[in-house]
Amino acid sequence: MVEFIEVVKTFGKNRVLDGVNFRIASNTINQIVGDQSTGKSTILKMIYGAIKPDSGYIRVFDSNVSDLSYSGVVLLRRYIGIIFEDIRLIKDLTVKENISVVTKMTKRNLYISEDIFDRLSIGYLLDKYPEELSLSEQSLINIARGIVFNFPLVLADEPLRYLSMQYKQKVIELFKFLNKEKGITFLITSQSVLDEEFNIVDVNLNEKR
């Protein structure tokens, strides 16, 4: 589903990714583990086309992302759920509207899997505005927005950072459920191993930017 071949990326004088190679199969849960500011987010952004590599090949589904035009990137993102590291909720929209806005961004009529709200215990928050939520609640909404439409590929950038241990485990179990029952593929970044059952992606992340 995702493959990196000799991918190089430099920011200024700092080479963050130096010939990165890895492959992720469909229907798996995968994790990139590394310190902060070592290129984990850069890898995810390359997968959904926000950053292009200096050289190398990036395959997502059956497309070379590096060669995609803007319209091609827009089309690609219709099939990728993104859980951003920084919580990007629109303050003037309710929680439910924040989640539904994904359908406008992807230009697809998407079915909302409302059982996600029950599994994360956030149904009572749907009519609230972001400013009424705690940081932990905002984080749960951010996670829900990335998975509630059953995208075949979900990219999760430090998704558990602002959650209590109880909710961290709840989210991990939800990822496992979606992988098993829906066949969703996950690529997650974090600074430590989240679950021993997740595949660890062998990526050399040595440089800080």
Side-chain angles (χ1 to χ4, degrees):
M1 178 172 276
V2 176
E3 185 174 19
F4 276 47
I5 300 176
E6 293 298 321
V7 173
V8 173
K9 183 62 184 178
T10 301
F11 293 97
K13 296 181 179 180
N14 188 11
R15 179 165 289 192
V16 177
L17 304 179
D18 189 7
V20 168
N21 295 277
F22 68 85
R23 184 176 182 181
I24 291 173
S26 300
N27 304 330
T28 57
I29 303 179
N30 308 273
Q31 185 178 354
I32 297 175
V33 180
D35 294 334
Q36 190 171 2
S37 301
T38 53
K40 303 189 304 296
S41 297
T42 298
I43 288 173
L44 297 191
K45 289 175 182 177
M46 285 182 171
I47 293 172
Y48 63 82
I51 295 176
K52 290 187 177 295
D54 299 332
S55 62
Y57 177 89
I58 300 173
R59 179 181 65 84
V60 181
F61 302 120
D62 290 318
S63 298
N64 181 358
V65 179
S66 306
D67 291 340
L68 291 179
S69 63
Y70 174 78
S71 59
V73 170
V74 171
L75 179 61
L76 174 70
R77 291 187 188 180
R78 293 182 180 182
Y79 301 94
I80 299 177
I82 303 172
I83 301 173
F84 295 101
E85 181 179 12
D86 53 327
I87 301 171
R88 302 181 182 184
L89 299 180
I90 302 171
K91 66 178 182 178
D92 296 328
L93 300 181
T94 65
V95 165
K96 192 165 189 177
E97 290 169 339
N98 264 283
I99 292 173
S100 297
V101 78
V102 174
T103 61
K104 297 180 180 178
M105 295 172 63
T106 60
K107 298 181 180 179
R108 294 176 66 201
N109 292 322
L110 299 169
Y111 168 73
I112 294 180
S113 183
E114 296 194 0
D115 66 314
I116 298 297
F117 303 147
D118 294 331
R119 289 180 177 274
L120 291 178
S121 304
I122 57 174
Y124 70 100
L125 300 175
L126 295 179
D127 293 323
K128 294 182 178 292
Y129 289 88
E131 64 182 12
E132 301 178 83
L133 308 181
S134 68
L135 183 59
S136 179
E137 290 170 337
Q138 290 182 39
S139 182
L140 288 172
I141 301 305
N142 185 46
I143 292 168
R145 186 172 53 184
I147 60 178
V148 75
F149 297 105
N150 294 325
F151 292 107
L153 173 62
V154 172
L155 307 175
D157 197 358
E158 298 275 4
L160 309 184
R161 172 175 292 185
Y162 303 111
L163 299 180
S164 66
M165 186 57 65
Q166 175 187 0
Y167 273 103
K168 285 180 180 179
Q169 193 58 43
K170 183 173 289 192
V171 170
I172 288 171
E173 293 305 318
L174 177 57
F175 286 174
K176 291 180 179 180
F177 169 81
L178 292 173
N179 171 252
K180 181 179 179 180
E181 299 297 327
K182 308 287 187 178
I184 295 174
T185 301
F186 287 87
L187 178 57
I188 307 163
T189 68
S190 70
Q191 296 183 45
S192 61
V193 175
L194 300 180
D195 192 280
E196 295 297 334
E197 295 181 20
F198 294 175
N199 300 322
I200 301 297
V201 180
D202 186 13
V203 180
N204 292 323
L205 298 174
N206 298 318
E207 301 294 328
K208 292 192 177 184
R209 67 175 171 85

